[in-house]
Amino acid sequence: MPIMKIILFYIVLFFTLSETALRFTWQSPYVSAYEGAYFHGKNKELTFSNVSKIYGSNDSVTFRTGSFGEIIGPISAEKAINNGSFNIALGGSTTECALVPENKRWPDLLNLATLNFGKSSLNSSHTLENLRYILNTYDLYPKKVFLMDGVNNLSAYLERGTDSLKDPEYTASIYKLALKKSYFMALLWSLIKRSDYLSFYKAEVINHSRYPLITDQEISTFWQSNEIKIKETIKESLEKFSMLSKQKDFEIVVLSQPHFYALRIESEALDLRTTPIIENKRLSFKQASEFMDKYNEITLSTAQQIGLSHFDVSKCLEKTNRSDLFYDAFHYTELGSIDFSRCLNSYLIPNRPVTPLDISL
């Protein structure tokens, strides 16, 4: 018994010292690096390994941030500011595109220089604060702000209902709360993910499969009870963006959330897709496809009602009809990022057709 107490003492001591040291020397990606903003810390450099296990691309991807916390692309923030004509891309991981090679993320490939401030797990309550911080603290004045928060907004709503987009600090997830409170756990989890994202996604799929499938009738009942609330929640959020855009004189462009539920994947062993969970039941891929399409429709129609610019990039991507644009349900491969940019460029340059995606790219 004394030996176990000694071992336990040293474990607690190690954890306490590590936690204290990390809080002084390391910036956790799960804790805001700024007062009132949630994008990446400044001048960071990370390497994601074994990316080729997920999709056929470079085996490792370098992820860097600049002096404002923006994700490094073909044009620096300083140069964009000097040129006086640039856009800003905001959203979660599908804007961030962490596993897409540098300079090939969709904001990098747009016709007008675009600074990428995307960050994993953010919903519109976070991106609103990020936008305010960028405008007020950095004194940046973009021409357009691309806003794509669909999947994270939906996840937030399913977790906590109409309050989902009001408080960026609120989290209903014990897992996210633990990573936010413990630097040691955050570092350990970050190292595991960066070295083997495939195992991370597979673990999510295995955990997800324990939920029983939901019936079509239960989904219908959900929409009857929640559709008006979802519209009101999105409207309240987008109205805040609209008010800010009018104050600062820039254009908000609301983007739909592309997904990969409609097509079959060639190798089931590499099927990393998970679907939304409603009342402890998971949607089938067919149900999830229809569900996300309806959520996109509500988002875009609400943007139109408020008077915000909007573009259905999801519908545009569907025309490609290819399974290699995504490596799971929502995240783009390098090819997917290229095709996403082609779709959005077709909006930026009206009447210009979207050329077919060339597999040799």
Side-chain angles (χ1 to χ4, degrees):
M1 192 67 176
I3 295 177
M4 291 301 296
K5 287 184 178 180
I6 293 172
I7 293 174
L8 181 61
F9 170 78
Y10 280 108
I11 290 174
V12 172
L13 180 62
F14 173 77
F15 178 83
T16 303
L17 292 176
S18 299
E19 185 75 22
T20 304
L22 286 170
R23 288 176 180 270
F24 283 100
T25 61
W26 181 66
Q27 176 58 52
S28 169
Y30 302 99
V31 177
S32 177
Y34 313 83
E35 185 65 37
Y38 300 87
F39 38 80
H40 289 282
K42 303 174 183 178
N43 302 311
K44 299 292 183 181
E45 181 169 337
L46 304 173
T47 299
F48 297 101
S49 304
N50 300 311
V51 175
S52 59
K53 287 184 177 180
I54 300 178
Y55 68 94
S57 182
N58 299 350
D59 198 50
S60 63
V61 170
T62 299
F63 183 89
R64 299 185 298 151
T65 63
S67 57
F68 290 92
E70 81 286 3
I71 299 169
I72 292 291
I75 184 170
S76 67
E78 291 81 3
K79 187 174 182 180
I81 295 168
N82 290 334
N83 290 346
S85 181
F86 61 93
N87 300 335
I88 287 176
L90 291 173
S93 56
T94 57
T95 300
E96 176 189 68
C97 294
L99 299 189
V100 174
E102 192 171 282
N103 295 331
K104 293 184 179 179
R105 298 169 179 123
W106 67 259
D108 303 338
L109 303 173
L110 299 182
N111 289 321
L112 183 63
T114 300
L115 304 180
N116 184 355
F117 281 95
K119 189 172 187 292
S120 176
S121 300
L122 303 189
N123 60 50
S124 284
S125 67
H126 303 100
T127 55
L128 178 64
E129 296 307 312
N130 285 355
L131 182 54
R132 285 173 174 162
Y133 190 93
I134 290 167
L135 296 170
N136 297 328
T137 306
Y138 291 160
D139 205 26
L140 299 180
Y141 299 98
K143 300 295 183 183
K144 300 179 189 294
V145 171
F146 300 114
L147 183 65
M148 186 169 64
D149 285 323
V151 63
N152 289 343
N153 283 353
L154 175 59
S155 296
Y157 182 85
L158 294 178
E159 282 186 3
R160 54 188 185 274
T162 53
D163 291 335
S164 55
L165 304 184
K166 293 180 181 179
D167 182 6
E169 290 298 320
Y170 180 85
T171 177
S173 168
I174 296 177
Y175 142 73
K176 290 180 180 178
L177 185 63
L179 293 178
K180 185 175 180 179
K181 295 298 183 181
S182 171
Y183 277 54
F184 180 82
M185 291 181 63
L187 176 61
L188 183 62
W189 189 238
S190 298
L191 292 174
I192 292 172
K193 285 177 65 177
R194 293 209 305 266
S195 62
D196 192 353
Y197 253 88
L198 179 60
S199 296
F200 166 73
Y201 282 116
K202 278 189 172 181
E204 281 200 333
V205 171
I206 293 171
N207 179 61
H208 187 269
S209 65
R210 67 185 175 89
Y211 293 94
L213 285 168
I214 197 169
T215 66
D216 290 342
Q217 180 57 48
E218 287 171 321
I219 295 177
S220 177
T221 301
F222 172 86
W223 279 116
Q224 290 173 13
S225 302
N226 289 272
E227 186 168 4
I228 293 176
K229 296 177 185 177
I230 288 174
K231 288 179 179 178
E232 291 174 347
T233 300
I234 294 174
K235 183 179 179 183
E236 183 178 348
S237 175
L238 290 182
E239 282 176 340
K240 296 175 183 176
F241 284 97
S242 178
M243 185 180 302
L244 191 58
S245 70
K246 291 175 182 177
Q247 291 172 352
K248 300 293 186 177
D249 191 27
F250 61 86
E251 180 185 2
I252 291 282
V253 181
V254 179
L255 304 178
S256 63
Q257 182 72 67
H259 62 84
F260 175 39
Y261 286 129
L263 297 177
R264 291 180 60 85
I265 194 166
E266 294 180 6
S267 172
E268 291 187 5
L270 280 178
D271 193 342
L272 303 178
R273 293 174 293 177
T274 57
T275 57
I277 301 292
I278 296 177
E279 297 178 353
N280 291 319
K281 293 185 179 180
R282 61 186 168 94
L283 277 65
S284 69
F285 292 141
K286 181 178 181 296
Q287 291 169 335
S289 178
E290 295 169 351
F291 196 90
M292 279 307 307
D293 288 344
K294 188 165 185 176
Y295 193 84
N296 278 333
E297 180 185 338
I298 291 173
T299 300
L300 295 177
S301 63
T302 303
Q304 182 176 17
Q305 178 186 352
I306 295 172
L308 294 176
S309 299
H310 53 282
F311 178 64
D312 195 349
V313 66
S314 179
K315 187 175 181 179
C316 179
L317 272 180
E318 283 179 3
K319 297 176 182 177
T320 306
N321 197 37
R322 288 177 50 156
S323 62
D324 55 0
L325 304 185
F326 299 82
Y327 62 80
D328 64 356
F330 295 100
H331 298 100
Y332 319 115
T333 63
E334 182 179 329
L335 291 173
S337 181
I338 291 170
D339 216 29
F340 186 108
S341 68
R342 292 186 180 203
C343 282
L344 192 47
N345 279 331
S346 73
Y347 166 83
L348 296 174
I349 305 178
N351 302 319
R352 177 178 175 178
V354 181
T355 55
L357 183 63
D358 186 346
I359 192 64
S360 65
L361 289 173

